[in-house]
Amino acid sequence: MPLKAFKVESDVISRLVIKGSHTRVGNDPVAIFGIEETVVLGTGYPFGTGPLSFVNNQKPTDTNIRPEKVTSNDISLGLGFLKNRITLDASVYLQTTKDLITNQTTSSASGLQYTPVNVGDIRNKGMEVSLGLVPIKGTDFSWDLNLAWSINRTKVIELANGQNEVNLTTGGVAGIYAIKGEEFPMLKATAYMRDEQGRIIINPDNGNPYISNNYVNFGRVTPNYTLALNTNFKYKNFGLYAVLDYRNGGVLYSGAMSGFAFSGNLEQSAEFDRTQGGYVIPNSVYMNSAGQYVENTSIKSGGDSYAGLPDYYGSVYSRIGRILS
């Protein structure tokens, strides 16, 4: 500590800490014999009922995989005032990962689940600030507070084999992607097809909305910033703790909501009189015989009777990732 090193005594400043570090480490999470051509015992072999003794490895590792290398730099500052009744700590960091290893999903038609590969290079940077207060400090009773704020950003610098994007996980109507030059990770999902004015396009024959053939990018899944508040009351040997955590921004995909949509248990499916069928989607249009988009005011999605609703929510509504994210 600089205060002790230079023999500085102060009634105001009680702590001054400056730290910095630079590290570079390698990581090789590949299992032993991971890049070898191996087979796997069938389920329950030799006592199971499966027809095969051995099956193909469904999680083969890329034979050209390389160890990932992580380089980290950080600097931090710590201050204490009034005998540490007030503390302030701040740190900034920059981390670069080269040849990041992750599990890349493959087509289900291949019979494989995923393949560990070098997906590319990423850069991670952020800042953390923490403010501590001790409003009350006595012999038997004390109260302290701590408020922490942090921000973190990860960006994809390069992807393997000259790719522009890599699909890391999929959930049917949504997936997590690494996109070159963009922040990571990104959520892409199916969405409504819209006209030039942003209105939802429906099929005039049944009222069902058209769904995009390709995934649409909905943004980063990580928050813009996070806040954490901790408070601690102590009386002799007893303590009372409370924690409040807040995250701002970020998008997510709800698999539970998709399941509820499939079974018709969503709140949205009860917002109208279901005995009269479905509902007219707000801000929706359809193409008329002249090839023009016309405002929809009467064509219901889900049909005109209750019988059509289960099919609508089970096979149409649940396949639109936009409303489930």
Side-chain angles (χ1 to χ4, degrees), residues 173 189-193 200 208-212 218 253 258 281 312 315-325:
V173 299
T190 56
Y192 293 113
M193 291 185 65
I200 298 171
N208 291 338
Y210 287 112
I211 304 173
S212 61
F218 289 107
Y253 169 78
S258 176
I281 296 179
Y312 172 70
S315 61
V316 179
Y317 191 90
S318 63
R319 293 192 294 114
I320 306 172
R322 173 65 182 88
I323 58 178
L324 304 174
S325 62

Side-chain angles (χ1 to χ4, degrees), residues 201-210 285-287 299-301:
I201 304 173
I202 68 165
N203 183 341
D205 295 331
N206 54 27
N208 291 338
Y210 287 112
V285 296
Y286 63 91
M287 182 175 289
I299 305 175
K300 295 181 179 180
S301 295

Side-chain angles (χ1 to χ4, degrees), residues 15 71 76 94 104 156 172 270 309:
R15 182 173 69 101
T71 303
S76 61
L94 174 65
Q104 182 176 356
V156 178
L309 286 179

Side-chain angles (χ1 to χ4, degrees), residues 40-55:
V40 181
L41 288 175
T43 303
Y45 177 83
F47 304 107
T49 58
L52 301 176
S53 301
F54 298 95
V55 296

